[in-house]
Amino acid sequence: RPIGLLRLEPLHLFMIGALICKLARKFLHMVVFRYMDDFFAPERPDVMEHAMHCFARLVRLLLGPSAIAARKLECGRRLVILGVQISLEAAGYCCRPAAEKALKCIAVMEDALSRGVLHSGCAQKLAGRLSWASQFLFKRLGRAMIRPIFGQQYSRCGKVPVALRVALRWWIWVLKHDI
C-alpha cells in the first residue's frame, strides 16, 4: 500500500529516500545518488532511458502511482539538476548554471544596479543561487565576488555599496558570456 508523503516528517522522508536508493542498488543494480528528494544515476547511453523508467516504476511501486510526475523524468547527456546544467562528454563533464536560472539572476542583478538597492532577502537568494559556481570559477575568484552579495544580507537599508556594485557587474558579465 502506498505511503502518504504529505504526512511524513523530514526524518521519515530521509529514511524513505535512503531505502529507495538501497533497493535500487540491490535489486536494479543501479548506481543511484540522491539529494533530498531528487535521484540521479549515471548509465550507459544505450540503457539510460530504460534504467530511468525501471527506477520510476520502483518508486511508484513503493509510494504510489502519483509519486513521480512524467515531467520529472529526464535522461540524456545534458541534464539540469538543481539549477545546474551538466553536460557529459568523452573528455569529462561540464557544469554551468541553467540558462533560465542565469537569466533570473541577471535580471535581479541588473534591477539592483539600476535602482541602487538590493534588499537582504533578495541578496540571500541570489547568493545561494550563485554559490555553487563560486567554488570553481577562475581559481576561486568567484568566492571573492560572491562575498559582497552574502554581506548584503545583513544590510538594513539595502543600498548597494561599491564592492557589491563591482561584484554584481562581474557576475552579470560572467553569466552573459556563459563562462
Side-chain angles (χ1 to χ4, degrees):
R1 189 167 174 214
I3 299 170
L5 280 181
L6 296 176
R7 296 185 193 152
L8 295 176
E9 298 295 321
L11 178 61
H12 295 118
L13 290 174
F14 177 80
M15 292 175 8
I16 288 172
L19 173 67
I20 290 170
C21 279
K22 180 79 170 178
L23 293 173
R25 290 173 185 153
K26 182 159 179 80
F27 296 112
L28 300 179
H29 306 288
M30 294 176 66
V31 178
V32 178
F33 302 101
R34 177 176 63 95
Y35 178 80
M36 304 298 282
D37 62 345
D38 294 325
F39 295 89
F40 316 103
E43 284 291 343
R44 295 185 322 270
D46 54 331
V47 298
M48 79 172 88
E49 188 171 357
H50 176 71
M52 176 190 65
H53 288 292
C54 288
F55 182 79
R57 286 181 67 192
L58 172 69
V59 172
R60 288 176 179 143
L61 175 72
L62 294 169
L63 303 177
S66 62
I68 297 180
R71 64 179 172 79
K72 292 286 195 168
L73 299 174
E74 294 182 58
C75 66
R77 290 192 172 274
R78 302 186 109 187
L79 289 177
V80 176
I81 300 172
L82 303 171
V84 178
Q85 179 183 327
I86 301 173
S87 304
L88 302 173
E89 305 297 334
Y93 66 94
C94 178
C95 297
R96 60 177 32 112
E100 70 226 16
K101 298 284 185 184
L103 291 174
K104 284 181 184 177
C105 290
I106 290 169
V108 168
M109 291 185 281
E110 287 178 340
D111 182 56
L113 288 171
S114 69
R115 292 186 311 125
V117 174
L118 181 64
H119 295 290
S120 62
C122 191
Q124 185 176 10
K125 288 178 188 174
L126 182 61
R129 289 181 183 146
L130 295 173
S131 65
W132 74 270
S134 67
Q135 297 297 319
F136 305 106
L137 286 173
F138 308 111
K139 300 199 185 245
R140 299 187 188 252
L141 178 60
R143 284 177 62 183
M145 291 300 180
I146 204 164
R147 189 175 208 89
I149 300 172
F150 272 116
Q152 187 69 9
Q153 31 183 353
Y154 303 108
S155 170
R156 291 188 180 174
C157 66
K159 186 178 177 200
V160 175
V162 175
L164 179 58
R165 186 173 297 280
V166 169
L168 292 176
R169 286 184 181 145
W170 185 85
W171 277 106
I172 290 170
W173 187 86
V174 166
L175 292 173
K176 281 187 175 179
H177 288 86
D178 196 30
I179 295 176

